[in-house]
Amino acid sequence: LPSRALLRRNAKLWVRVLTHADLLSEEALRYQMERASIMIDNDEVYDMSMMTMADATKKNRNNNTATSDYRIPVIALNLSDVEAGAAKGKALRPVKELLLGAKMIVGQATKTPKILVCGLPNAGKSSFIYPLTKHRTMTIKKKKDYHLPKINKTAGWTLGTKSHAFEIKVLKDSKNGGKHHKKETVSLTDTPGMRPRLEDISHDRPKLAEWLATWSVKPQKGDLSQSNEDAEELRKHIVNLLWKGLKRHAELSSERLRFETPEDLWKRHAEEDKKDATVHQFINSVHEGDYGAVIIEDENSTPLMMERIGGEPSQYGPMAVNMRAKIVAV
């Protein structure tokens, strides 16, 4: 995607954020955090906390190797309640400190450092910005919540880039040798979700199923409701993809999968929604967690990722995860 290529050329620092981490089990969350810390593209691993993407690419090509030594910072958050008040704002201070640090590091290389919040559609970009910037926005903006990021379950509500800001008090050295508090302002730019043009993938049913199953694109009229061979093929791809997602989470969590096959899952949905057993309703039920938690992965990358991480999830080192905390881990 052009946006992604632009970021890889120009980004000075990467921080990955896992939103709504409370939807996963502790074991699955550990796995996802480990995955998120590794950036792989065509078997090349990049560490944006140490070098630019271009530098990392050059380094790996010169060495003709790709190792798991390159890691990027990862934040896991519980953002299921973005309407929480000041208490949550205080709980998010470690995240604010990390973003301020990122701004200061990048500021050494450029006079106008920018923090872009980028990702797939409906991944939680606006939900991430909302609690960080709510207090300042409601305090200084005349139209109050009109200026806050727009949040919705479906993709496509953020149509352009828009800057939001938060303030954080930090200790600074005084001229007389003492310390004093100073407010620092950090600006975050909300962006639309990065996705391919729908017309470029509409002919590729498995690829279209991936984007529809994750609510990353809005279905075109008839995509999920027509009774023909194309619609049936698309339904099977979507059901199979989400069933594999349920299976993957169950494997990582050492849980028993409730449905033996994708069609068993679809039959359960059809039994529960006899009058309206549509694919649209099925996707919504899976996203609501009616059948369990889901981890969707590219099948081709999973063996490589497991090799990078170092084996089965049970071999990980200890990681303290409090699933009830607003900030699960940094």
Side-chain angles (χ1 to χ4, degrees):
L1 296 173
S3 302
R4 227 171 264 167
L6 182 66
L7 286 171
R8 284 175 176 157
R9 286 199 303 270
N10 298 308
K12 303 296 181 185
L13 182 75
W14 287 77
V15 176
R16 274 208 167 134
V17 181
L18 302 181
T19 55
H20 306 291
D22 49 312
L23 298 180
L24 301 177
S25 69
E26 292 188 13
E27 296 82 4
L29 178 60
R30 291 189 186 99
Y31 173 72
Q32 288 290 67
M33 290 190 70
E34 194 74 14
R35 283 185 67 215
S37 71
I38 304 170
M39 186 168 288
I40 297 177
D41 185 23
N42 296 327
D43 285 6
E44 291 173 347
V45 185
Y46 307 103
D47 177 15
M48 294 313 298
S49 65
M50 301 298 292
M51 62 188 81
T52 66
M53 187 68 79
D55 290 339
T57 305
K58 183 178 179 181
K59 176 181 174 64
N60 280 319
R61 283 177 180 164
N62 288 343
N63 293 342
N64 199 28
T65 60
T67 71
S68 59
D69 295 332
Y70 300 119
R71 299 298 178 93
I72 59 176
V74 179
I75 304 167
L77 297 169
N78 288 341
L79 292 180
S80 55
D81 181 17
V82 297
E83 294 290 345
K88 185 166 188 177
K90 291 180 180 178
L92 290 173
R93 182 176 174 86
V95 179
K96 292 182 177 181
E97 291 175 348
L98 183 62
L99 294 174
L100 174 61
K103 176 186 173 182
M104 294 172 66
I105 291 171
V106 176
Q108 297 172 4
T110 176
K111 293 181 179 178
T112 56
K114 296 180 180 179
I115 299 180
L116 302 181
V117 182
C118 307
L120 296 174
N122 214 32
K125 299 180 294 296
S126 297
S127 296
F128 172 64
I129 294 174
Y130 188 106
L132 289 170
T133 62
K134 180 179 179 180
H135 177 72
R136 182 179 183 275
T137 301
M138 298 294 284
T139 302
I140 70 171
K141 296 289 187 180
K142 289 183 179 180
K143 293 186 179 180
K144 306 294 182 182
D145 57 355
Y146 171 81
H147 296 280
L148 288 169
K150 301 299 183 286
I151 299 173
N152 196 279
K153 286 185 178 181
T154 57
W157 283 73
T158 303
L159 301 178
T161 59
K162 185 176 180 181
S163 292
H164 306 270
F166 66 82
E167 292 177 338
I168 178 172
K169 284 185 178 180
V170 294
L171 277 175
K172 294 280 188 177
D173 293 327
S174 301
K175 292 182 180 180
N176 59 12
K179 300 281 187 180
H180 71 281
H181 281 97
K182 180 184 177 181
K183 278 188 178 180
E184 293 281 355
T185 301
V186 178
S187 185
L188 306 175
T189 301
D190 199 5
T191 64
M194 295 190 293
R195 63 173 176 82
R197 293 182 179 89
L198 197 54
E199 56 266 28
D200 293 340
I201 60 171
S202 58
H203 63 283
D204 186 340
R205 309 314 274 181
K207 183 61 67 176
L208 178 59
E210 290 179 12
W211 290 93
L212 290 173
T214 55
W215 285 145
S216 296
V217 297
K218 295 179 180 177
Q220 292 182 319
K221 188 175 181 180
D223 270 346
L224 301 179
S225 58
Q226 290 181 350
S227 299
N228 54 41
E229 290 184 6
D230 280 349
E232 177 62 14
E233 181 188 3
L234 189 59
R235 179 196 72 82
K236 288 183 177 180
H237 282 306
I238 290 173
V239 173
N240 188 54
L241 180 72
L242 293 177
W243 176 80
K244 286 181 177 179
L246 291 166
K247 181 181 179 183
R248 187 72 179 125
H249 186 275
E251 289 172 350
L252 292 168
S253 308
S254 300
E255 297 173 352
R256 180 179 174 273
L257 185 64
R258 294 161 55 190
F259 311 98
E260 294 297 327
T261 66
E263 285 307 311
D264 286 342
L265 176 60
W266 176 253
K267 287 178 184 177
R268 173 65 179 274
H269 168 70
E271 290 171 359
E272 293 180 348
D273 293 289
K274 294 179 181 178
K275 294 182 180 179
D276 191 20
T278 64
V279 181
H280 190 279
Q281 286 292 334
F282 170 71
I283 296 173
N284 191 58
S285 295
V286 174
H287 278 261
E288 292 292 332
D290 293 351
Y291 307 119
V294 177
I295 288 182
I296 297 178
E297 290 181 303
D298 180 350
E299 290 183 347
N300 296 325
S301 70
T302 302
L304 176 64
M305 186 61 67
M306 291 303 295
E307 182 181 338
R308 293 267 191 263
I309 293 174
E312 295 300 319
S314 59
Q315 296 177 6
Y316 296 160
M319 179 188 295
V321 177
N322 177 6
M323 300 297 284
R324 291 173 294 184
K326 300 299 182 183
I327 300 174
V328 178
V330 176

